[in-house]
Amino acid sequence: MNRVRTRTPVLDPACAAAVDLARSAVEENIRPDEVGGHLGAQSEGERVVTHYFACLDRAYAGWRWAVTVARASRARNVTVSEVVLVPGEGALLPPQWVPWSERLLPGDLGVGDLLPTAADDVRLAPGFTDTGEETDREMFFEYGLGRARVLSPVGRDRAVRRWHAGEAGPHTPIAHAAPAQCSTCGFYWPLAGALGATFGVCTNEFAPDDGRVVAADHGCGAHSEAAVTPPQVEPAAPILDELAYDITEHLAEELPGADRGGSVDDAAAEPLGHS
């Protein structure tokens, strides 16, 4: 087995000495104060050298200007081939590009938006063809009759894990404080098919999950058997007697002709000193 030998390009002296030419090429398009010192040169090939200069622009910290110069065979004049801005060590770089289908999050789909599904989506499986026979339509719809694709076991398992671990699952503060689970609530409507044993839909308009899929072991304070509201009893109107009255000691003193007996014995009164 023969090893392939690679030859390291020799740094061309004329191209390596063209530092001022490379700097002037950068300063033609940007301000001179944004070009820093010379960082070195690297041979790119025969009679091709790239000079690096520091970038002083605060928006491109860690980047550097790269100016590639070259000369023709047996020629003395060096010319500029390319001027680019390249990242250096510690340069601020954008995150790795991710396709939009992988960046999409729940809730991003708006009115009029279309979300195509890949043909090999593992969440879906092929459906069945309608035979035209009079059979149980509801049962056939569950198995995918008339639909090109239906939910696959992988898609079903992902939905189960996502719903059970989400806000409608049993591991939330509102579920921990609930008096009972949704499976025992009268407003709980189980789903049809394989998911019916684990999930249902809340139909209580006063519950926070009204119209949403909830786990059977979820719960909230709007449980149908949480408490029985006692009937409202209207208090009776008070009875007021506006004709009769009671004579009290205070009232007798104010009435004319009333007996105003004193609290001091008259016989024990002291003489006033006159006849």
Side-chain angles (χ1 to χ4, degrees):
M1 181 177 179
N2 298 328
R3 296 182 179 179
V4 178
R5 297 181 179 180
T6 58
R7 180 183 177 184
T8 304
V10 179
L11 193 64
D12 185 75
C15 294
V19 177
D20 295 337
L21 175 64
R23 178 182 292 274
S24 62
V26 180
E27 294 177 350
E28 288 180 358
N29 300 316
I30 65 170
R31 295 180 302 179
D33 57 351
E34 294 183 358
V35 184
H38 185 252
L39 301 179
Q42 180 181 355
S43 177
E44 303 290 349
E46 190 174 0
R47 295 183 301 278
V48 179
V49 174
T50 298
H51 293 272
Y52 295 98
F53 299 90
C55 179
L56 303 182
D57 191 343
R58 291 181 297 177
Y60 292 90
W63 289 65
R64 53 184 181 172
W65 292 101
V67 183
T68 302
V69 297
R71 69 181 181 89
S73 178
R74 298 182 181 180
R76 295 181 179 180
N77 295 332
V78 178
T79 58
V80 177
S81 298
E82 185 181 36
V83 179
V84 294
L85 187 63
V86 296
E89 295 183 2
L92 181 62
L93 299 176
Q96 186 178 3
W97 182 83
V98 180
W100 69 268
S101 58
E102 299 179 13
R103 299 195 306 267
L104 195 66
L105 298 176
D108 290 346
L109 196 65
V111 178
D113 296 339
L114 297 178
L115 180 60
T117 305
D120 57 349
D121 196 324
V122 296
R123 299 173 299 172
L124 299 174
F128 299 93
T129 305
D130 191 354
T131 59
E133 300 178 356
E134 293 297 331
T135 53
D136 190 348
R137 295 291 179 178
E138 184 177 354
M139 180 187 67
F140 276 171
F141 184 81
E142 171 65 24
Y143 289 106
L145 182 65
R147 290 182 289 169
R149 290 185 291 177
V150 296
L151 194 64
S152 67
V154 175
R156 182 183 60 193
D157 293 342
R158 289 184 179 180
V160 168
R161 291 195 299 267
R162 186 173 62 253
W163 293 349
H164 200 263
E167 294 297 329
H171 309 297
T172 57
I174 192 172
H176 292 166
Q181 296 181 351
C182 291
S183 58
T184 60
C185 181
F187 298 105
Y188 178 78
W189 190 275
L191 295 180
L195 297 179
T198 312
F199 297 97
V201 178
C202 178
T203 62
N204 189 348
E205 60 180 324
F206 299 106
D209 295 314
D210 179 38
R212 300 177 181 178
V213 176
V214 294
D217 49 357
H218 184 61
C220 71
H223 195 280
S224 61
E225 311 305 323
V228 178
T229 304
Q232 297 291 338
V233 178
E234 296 183 1
I239 300 176
L240 300 178
D241 188 357
E242 300 179 355
L243 299 179
Y245 59 89
D246 296 334
I247 298 179
T248 64
E249 182 180 356
H250 178 70
L251 182 61
E253 294 178 356
E254 297 180 357
L255 292 177
D259 184 12
R260 294 185 176 87
S263 60
V264 181
D265 188 5
D266 293 339
E270 299 181 354
L272 300 178
H274 63 276
S275 58

